[in-house]
Amino acid sequence: MPKTTKKDTLDPVDRVIARLYRSALSVSADGFRAWALQQIQSVVPCDGALWGSGVTSYMRFHTVTVTGLPPEFPHVLEATSAINPLLPRILQNLDTPVDMANVLPDEAFFSSEIYARAFRPYGITRILSTGHLDPRSGLYSLVTLYRRDREQAFTEIEKAQHKRLTYHLFNAGSHAFFLHLARTHAERPAGAGAAVVDAAGAYHEATVRFLDLLDERFPQRDPHALPLPVPPPGQTVAVEDLMLRCEPLGDLLLLTIWPAGPLDRLTSREREIVFSIAQGLSFKQAAKKIGVAPSTVANHLYRVYRKLGVYSRTELAALVHPPSDE
């Protein structure tokens, strides 16, 4: 009798879930969704798949990835959303797979307008969808699997597998997205959160920390819109006791938010001088490094002392490099 290994007995769903998180940085950011859909298809076989994200109030995808189907397919779905009986059922049963066969009996489905317009042109006969809504950000995510063989209905086991997989798919996707951002964008201050928004302030991605900070300061905020004005790209602004930094991210914007510390209230030139002095440089050395006169360093430092309420270089250095609690 052949020997059974641990790998042989591992649940295929657990194996895919582990792979989703473990491969967050080894798969490119722009290819993660397509790769992740392929992982799901290795457990729940299908001929095509879709992963879309957006805001429910618009019923339109901000980002969408399809495999096994032509690129225009998501636009066809959006154009027929008003007559698609699957959508309201998904919204009523979030985080639970919804089978079109349980929404419309086959006879009704295959003679329906939605089938004729959205699915028959692509040979689709079986549809299984799971939607997820983050009530704190208003972000809606949808993963749908499609089959062309009418005789291959989705089984109850496959629906249970799909439910487990999509839960981790949404989490792993956000995790991978911000890990890749951390590689290419400015280091976040301690206690910071991040979000990706469009020019109108609608969320495309958001970390838990970002939403926590907003909930603490704006408990009555609209979850579908940023409660702060978006700064111009490349700028950092103070909003009450928060700092908000905006960086361009293609057609979108990356926002980083953190509780304002003493040094955040300084001008960029004042911070430049403070960091130079905190490194142990003299006025003359700091002036040469920055490219200003020593008297300019002295004048700025005098104002900094008054702003921060410190009286010596030692106290200033302690603000820049706070002692460890260990």
Side-chain angles (χ1 to χ4, degrees):
M1 178 179 291
K3 184 177 179 181
T4 301
T5 66
K6 183 176 181 181
K7 183 176 180 180
D8 295 329
T9 60
L10 185 64
D11 185 332
V13 174
D14 289 334
R15 186 180 297 120
V16 168
I17 290 171
R19 198 179 301 142
L20 289 173
Y21 291 104
R22 189 174 60 244
S23 303
L25 281 176
S26 61
V27 179
S28 66
D30 57 354
F32 183 84
R33 288 193 171 203
W35 172 84
L37 287 176
Q38 292 172 359
Q39 305 310 305
I40 286 188
Q41 290 173 262
S42 70
V43 177
V44 185
C46 59
D47 301 302
L50 177 148
W51 180 357
S53 300
V55 178
T56 52
S57 55
Y58 302 147
M59 290 311 297
R60 177 171 51 84
F61 294 128
H62 285 159
T63 56
V64 61
T65 298
V66 291
T67 63
L69 290 163
E72 75 270 10
F73 178 69
H75 304 295
V76 174
L77 279 185
E78 290 178 342
T80 56
S81 61
I83 61 170
N84 191 340
L86 195 62
L87 290 179
R89 188 69 66 87
I90 294 170
L91 293 173
Q92 293 165 9
N93 297 272
L94 292 170
D95 301 308
T96 299
V98 178
D99 190 338
M100 179 65 91
N102 297 131
V103 177
L104 282 181
D106 282 359
E107 183 178 353
F109 174 60
F110 292 118
S111 62
S112 67
E113 183 182 0
I114 185 64
Y115 173 69
R117 292 177 56 185
F119 302 118
R120 185 170 62 193
Y122 305 99
I124 294 170
T125 63
R126 298 299 176 189
I127 306 161
L128 184 66
S129 295
T130 299
H132 172 76
L133 177 65
D134 184 341
R136 302 180 67 198
S137 65
L139 276 171
Y140 173 71
S141 298
L142 176 73
V143 169
T144 303
L145 306 183
Y146 303 99
R147 286 176 176 170
R148 294 190 170 94
D149 186 349
R150 183 171 174 173
E151 302 304 317
Q152 294 296 315
F154 289 100
T155 67
E156 293 304 315
I157 291 177
E158 289 174 329
K159 293 174 187 178
Q161 292 173 323
H162 190 238
K163 181 174 183 176
R164 288 181 59 202
L165 286 165
T166 50
Y167 172 83
H168 291 282
L169 189 73
F170 300 139
N171 284 283
S174 181
H175 173 69
F177 182 82
F178 284 105
L179 278 179
H180 281 284
L181 279 184
R183 281 182 160 184
T184 56
H185 286 76
E187 183 179 349
R188 296 184 205 156
V196 176
V197 303
D198 58 26
Y203 297 105
H204 289 236
E205 293 280 356
T207 65
V208 172
R209 178 57 177 162
F210 187 93
L211 298 174
D212 284 344
L213 288 170
L214 292 187
D215 285 345
E216 291 168 6
R217 272 71 175 183
F218 307 95
Q220 305 301 319
R221 68 183 181 87
D222 177 356
H224 293 175
L226 188 73
L228 304 168
V230 179
Q235 290 194 17
T236 300
V237 299
V239 182
E240 297 185 3
D241 63 338
L242 295 174
M243 301 301 297
L244 183 64
R245 182 172 69 210
C246 179
E247 301 171 76
L249 189 67
D251 294 333
L252 301 173
L253 300 168
L254 172 63
L255 301 182
T256 305
I257 194 170
W258 67 94
L263 299 179
D264 291 315
R265 299 298 182 181
L266 303 179
T267 66
S268 57
R269 175 50 57 84
E270 287 172 342
R271 282 197 298 273
E272 194 175 15
I273 289 173
V274 163
F275 286 123
S276 296
I277 296 300
Q279 291 173 0
L281 301 182
S282 66
F283 283 5
K284 187 175 181 179
Q285 290 170 326
K288 183 177 181 180
K289 177 182 177 181
I290 298 170
V292 297
S295 59
T296 300
V297 172
N299 291 335
H300 275 296
L301 202 58
Y302 173 74
R303 288 194 292 271
V304 166
Y305 277 15
R306 296 189 63 181
K307 280 186 179 182
L308 301 181
V310 298
Y311 302 95
S312 68
R313 290 189 179 210
T314 302
E315 290 180 273
L316 187 64
L319 284 178
V320 177
H321 307 292
S324 172
D325 294 332
E326 298 180 0

